Amino acid sequence: MTMSETPSTQRSLQVALGDRSYPIHIGSGLLGDPTWLSPYLAGRQVLIVTNEAVAPLYLERLRHGLPNEAEVRELVLPDGEATKTLACVSRIWDALLEAGFNRRCTLVALGGGVIGDMVGFAAACYQRGVAFIQVPTTLLSQVDSSVGGKTGVNHPLGKNMVGAFWQPRAVLIDTDTLKTLPAAEFSAGLAEVIKYGLIRDAKFLAWLEAEMAALRNLEPEALAWAIERSCQLKADIVAADETEQGVRALLNLGHTFGHAIEAHQGYGNWLHGEAVGVGMLMAAELSCRLGWLSADEVERSAAIIASAGLPLKAPVGMGAEDFLSRMRLDKKNVDDRLRLVLLETLGKAVVYDEAPMPLLQELLERFPRS
């Protein structure tokens, strides 16, 4: 498929992981159609976990997509990144145990990345592993967190520091859910879409530059293609490196800087995609200082990030040591060496752990603050 052949109908692709492979279904109206959900249930017992923002919008519709014979329970958690804690995951385990659910139960994560990460982690641990299905309702979760099996919760000292790799049985992406997504959260999702172009696909990046207005206007064909291409790129990387021993680390472009912003500001005060957008620009700037990217390429990166409605400046009052103290806790670091994902050119990323500290310090001190 070329960039001009944007899909207008339901699309499916596969995450190839041997006997743990699973499909990603993308389209309009998937939530209430039993065709898409029922085949992936492990048994009759189903726990739907969602949050207070999503439940009034889509919980009833999702229930219509379950078979009549299913034994369904529901758990509605508080909304927001600040709830991504072990305490909230314990509420999921409480609900499962109180309902007497066994190893053939299925958890269904209905919501954004916070819900998906917590439900996946709960599924990985409950009775040493039960089935779960991702039903992401935000753009960010549709193109990123729902695919690949990374699950977990935040710790006060670092984002996603407690978790497990646990793959879903399926990912169902109903593009209709984006119609109720706040504009800021949609922009946050676009940060992850842009990331795929920056790290892996220069042609996709150029397509995004041309079609950003269409995406922000929720034009169905452009939206479906952007989601499909993002998911395909991530699926290919996950299939090659499920547990992030190599190429999968490239998916963290901007995340080491971005996670530091989130932790410093307090989880939820900056949206994840907003922090990643700034982090990607910081990575581009450092790549330029290393002699890889040109100044024009950095400017081009900034322009597409800005066109998505994302900030271009770090938080005011966040100094270089605030960044470094949190970046040193990043999971990618090995033997106390700070590992960063940088850009050799637009469309090609590398993992790099040899950036001179004075160069990094200067970037962190001089990068614009909002």
Side-chain angles (χ1 to χ4, degrees):
M1 176 178 291
T2 66
M3 294 298 176
S4 61
E5 296 172 330
T6 50
S8 57
T9 58
Q10 188 271 327
R11 308 288 298 179
S12 296
L13 54 115
Q14 193 83 353
V15 181
L17 291 169
D19 59 1
R20 291 173 297 105
S21 298
Y22 55 92
I24 303 170
H25 298 302
I26 305 165
S28 172
L30 270 57
L31 275 186
D33 186 344
T35 305
W36 303 110
L37 196 56
S38 297
Y40 307 107
L41 300 178
R44 292 179 58 252
Q45 298 173 329
V46 180
L47 175 66
I48 304 171
V49 184
T50 186
N51 65 33
E52 294 168 345
V54 175
L57 299 170
Y58 301 116
L59 181 54
E60 191 60 32
R61 191 183 305 181
L62 179 64
R63 284 202 64 138
H64 289 158
L66 294 169
N68 293 331
E69 63 272 17
E71 179 188 347
V72 182
R73 298 287 191 276
E74 301 165 359
L75 177 62
V76 180
L77 297 172
D79 185 26
E81 183 79 25
T83 69
K84 192 175 168 183
T85 63
L86 279 173
C88 263
V89 172
S90 289
R91 291 184 58 181
I92 301 174
W93 293 324
D94 290 345
L96 291 165
L97 289 165
E98 289 165 4
F101 276 18
N102 58 39
R103 285 183 172 177
R104 296 197 68 238
C105 71
T106 305
L107 279 63
V108 179
L110 174 66
V114 171
I115 286 291
D117 283 5
M118 289 196 296
V119 172
F121 185 44
C125 297
Y126 186 66
Q127 299 197 25
R128 297 185 176 87
V130 297
F132 88 109
I133 298 169
Q134 289 272 20
V135 186
T137 58
T138 66
L139 181 61
L140 191 148
S141 59
Q142 289 173 356
V143 301
D144 185 50
S145 60
S146 67
V147 179
K150 276 189 177 181
T151 72
V153 296
N154 297 331
H155 185 278
L157 295 179
K159 186 177 172 70
N160 295 329
M161 295 302 288
V162 181
F165 288 97
W166 192 249
Q167 301 296 340
R169 283 199 162 201
V171 180
L172 306 182
I173 298 174
D174 189 332
T175 54
D176 290 349
T177 61
L178 299 178
K179 296 175 183 177
T180 58
L181 192 65
E185 291 194 27
F186 186 80
S187 290
L190 287 173
E192 296 287 356
V193 176
I194 292 167
K195 176 191 74 179
Y196 293 112
L198 288 171
I199 67 169
R200 195 81 168 182
D201 192 338
K203 289 184 179 179
F204 184 45
L205 186 67
W207 182 87
L208 290 170
E209 289 175 308
E211 299 295 332
M212 188 59 72
L215 289 172
R216 295 186 71 181
N217 287 330
L218 302 184
E219 293 185 14
E221 293 182 358
L223 199 55
W225 171 240
I227 294 170
E228 181 188 0
R229 186 59 185 153
S230 297
C231 287
Q232 186 64 68
L233 287 165
K234 182 160 189 181
D236 290 345
I237 291 173
V238 170
D241 179 23
E242 181 181 2
T243 59
E244 201 170 300
Q245 303 303 306
V247 68
R248 184 166 179 168
L250 299 180
L251 293 169
N252 290 303
L253 177 69
H255 285 60
T256 302
F257 296 108
H259 286 169
I261 292 173
E262 289 182 90
H264 180 267
Q265 295 300 103
Y267 296 120
N269 290 314
W270 270 56
L271 295 175
H272 174 68
E274 292 174 334
V276 166
V278 172
M280 290 192 298
L281 186 54
M282 297 179 85
E285 290 271 11
L286 184 56
S287 301
C288 181
R289 290 168 187 247
L290 287 166
W292 299 348
L293 291 188
S294 68
D296 287 345
E297 287 175 312
V298 174
E299 193 59 39
R300 184 180 166 196
S301 302
I304 191 169
I305 292 167
S307 73
L310 293 163
L312 299 178
K313 298 179 179 180
V316 66
M318 186 174 182
E321 191 52 43
D322 295 319
F323 270 101
L324 288 171
S325 63
R326 288 163 174 83
M327 290 167 66
R328 292 187 182 104
L329 296 172
D330 190 87
K331 298 186 295 296
K332 293 185 300 303
N333 296 338
V334 177
D335 298 330
D336 295 325
R337 301 187 71 168
L338 191 60
R339 304 182 80 203
L340 298 170
V341 180
L342 302 177
L343 296 169
E344 285 190 344
T345 186
L346 298 186
K348 183 180 180 182
V350 294
V351 178
Y352 191 67
D353 61 4
E354 298 177 6
M357 186 54 67
L359 203 63
L360 179 59
Q361 187 97 22
E362 182 186 28
L363 169 73
L364 294 173
E365 289 172 353
R366 297 193 177 186
F367 194 82
R369 302 300 198 269
S370 57

